[in-house]
Amino acid sequence: MENPSAESSAPTAMDLETAAAAAPPRKPQVLFAQKPNFRPLKAHEISDGQIQFRKISVPPHRYTPLKKSWLEIYTPIYDEMKIDIRMNLKARRVELKTRTDTPDVSSLQKCADFVHAFMLGFDVIDAVALLRMDELYVESFEIKDVKTLKGEHLSRAIGRLSGKGGKTKFAIENSTRTRIVIADSKIHMLGSFANIKVARDSLCSLILGSPAAKVYSKLRAVTSRLAERF
Amino acid sequence: MASSANGGGNPSGLEALHRLASTEPALYLTQSPELSKSARIASESLFAFLNDYVPKHVLSRLSTEGFDAEQIWQQIDLQTQPLLSSLRRQVRNFEKNPSEIGKQFNLDRDGVKEDNLRVDGKNKETDSIESESEDFDDDDDDVDEDEEEDEEDEEEEGGEDDDENDEGENVKGVEDKFLKIKELEDYLVEDEEREYGVKKEKGNKRKSGKIADEDGEDKNEEGDEDEDYELGLMGLGDDGSDMENARYDDFFTSQKKTSQKKKPKYDDESDGMDMDEPENDDSDQNEQSHPTHGKELGQLRAKVEELEKENMHGKTKQSLSTHEKELEKLRAEIEEMERANLEPKTWTMQGEVSAAKRPKNSALEVDMDFDQNVRPPPVTTVEDTASLEELIMKRITEGQFDDVQRAPTLLNKAPKERKEMDENKSKKGLAELYEDEYAQKTGLVSTALSFSDEQKKEASMLFKTLCLKLDALSHFHFCPKPVIEDMSVQANVPALAMEEVAPLAVSDAAMLAPEEVFSGKGDIKEETELTKADRKRRRAKKKRQFKAESVKRMAVKTQLSTLKKHENVAGNGES
């Protein structure tokens, strides 16, 4: 009830002000300026109306999987994130471009991360989590960062990481809620920060030579703690 | 006979043999045609000699001109092989029948004796006595051939045969008593050893001595040569073999013994000897032998007596009486005991002995007797093991193992729910996982996500229904139906309708007891139980009641009628 009166008073104040302004200013009065009423800026406008681009190169071994799952990649980016996406076949690149109606500034980066994750080797359904959640990260490291291994030792270490039929890798993935990609000597992890830390610790201990059973026992202890938090 | 026939025709052979014998052995190594020629001649002559005694002739003579050594040898071999076998047969025959030897010798005695004497004297020195028996077995040549013996004795060529022949004859001469004498000697030796503990190692010597003695005493037929032989044996045999161990006993005890034992022998064998004596041409020699032998014996006896007189202590064992023998024994024992006492005692007799003071492992050998406080371990018998095994088998068949079972620990708190480590690729993507987690957190989705939760839910549901039923039955308190959280479409029905107004269970048990409810009095009987009197009474009662009622009704009726009349009147009056 008061508000309308306040509002009415405001214009009246303004009217007064204008009246006062119209009339030659005899007495200088302190008048409060009206707050400017801005509507929120669109993403487009944040970047001063300029369109932003991202280019992600496609490694040859991901070319065919990209072709297969192109639509699964395209749909969420174009429809939900409102980012233009195209594949530059000649240059073997995926190119992303903001539109004028892109709602969020960060969406372009998220999409770029999503595509990049796919290029690293993650599945689409796993990479999509990057689009949907903020706190997920991708971390990569190499085996030689942990321990210098050559030849057969390296092969054995990779074998130890994956386990028979990949069961060690899946065990780590399931218990820490991450996704792991082992590409020769490089290891990529996708997940939240704490989970990535746990997964990295397990993987490093595996590289350094501890048997899988030991790693499992440590995992169990850690993940129960992680689960209890929720 | 044969020898005389051949003797004249072989001076060249003899010469050849002489020549061969005289050459130095070194010269044999050189190639000299003379030696070979003389050798051939000698072999031819020998062959001719032997040929007469061969059972069946194969070659008439040995042909050596232009023949090889091997060929000559083969010819000789042809002759000697059957010869040897026949000789052996004859020797065996002689072994069995020693008397035949005498016959043999007697036949051949004539031209042989001097030669034999000479030969004996020579050969005794060279040969050992043991070779007698060996030679006896190993006679290669014909022992009966005296001529050959002579020649071959002189030769050194076929050396091994010479001595054997000689001794063979003498052994043959002794032989018919040889075995018996030998047995006797052995027995004597053993007995002596046993009794006096003196080991006589001069068996051979004594044998030889005895043989010699026996020869000297018994063999009249042998005569001088035997005597000499015996003397030679006596004198030379002992000296020759063991000079350093010569003892008084060796000389005299054997002599005495043999003299004692031989006398009966002599008597036994005198018949045999007497038979031979007349045949013997050398009776002079026989006569001579006796006196010489007796003289010798007398000398020996004198020596013995001297010794005995001189040395009473050194009595020979035979001269002691049994008492003295016992005394000797005792004395020896006493001496030994005294010696033992003087020496330090064995460790078992020394009282307290530590391990250092006794030899190693000596305690094991001694059978010690001491008390132990420890009970000896139980000895396992066959029955024990059998019973044990029976028990074991029984338990196995029953399956009753008496295993120790761990006592179940009581849980202080509910077991923490552990998520199983899933080693398979997760079916949900990462995004979906987070989605599910979010939904669960915000409560949009029912919480029964894990398998154990569902099981728990089911269990709790079952229990709730059971509880409801039990409550309804037992307490008759109204309990509403259990709330099932269910996401299902509900019809738009008033809430009260959801709960049943009527109780689920109603009991028809009344508050009051039957007897409290019972309003009648007395004993109530059923129709069937009523007796006749009861029925009558009942009927009478009923009748009375009915009567009373009817009277009342009548009264009421009359009253009513009167009232009605009054009303009617009144009504009429009013109107």
Side-chain angles (χ1 to χ4, degrees), chain B residues 414-430:
Chain B
K416 203 160 47 166
E417 193 191 296
R418 258 183 232 169
K419 206 159 74 167
E420 283 293 313
M421 182 88 70
D422 188 17
E423 286 181 341
N424 304 315
K425 190 176 168 79
S426 67
K427 294 169 195 75
K428 295 182 184 175
L430 195 65

Side-chain angles (χ1 to χ4, degrees), chain A residues 126 132 174 177 179 216, chain B residues 422-424 426 435 437:
Chain A
D126 298 330
R132 297 172 75 170
N174 291 330
R177 253 199 306 223
R179 291 290 176 263
Y216 285 1
Chain B
D422 188 17
E423 286 181 341
N424 304 315
S426 67
E435 189 186 315
E437 196 194 324

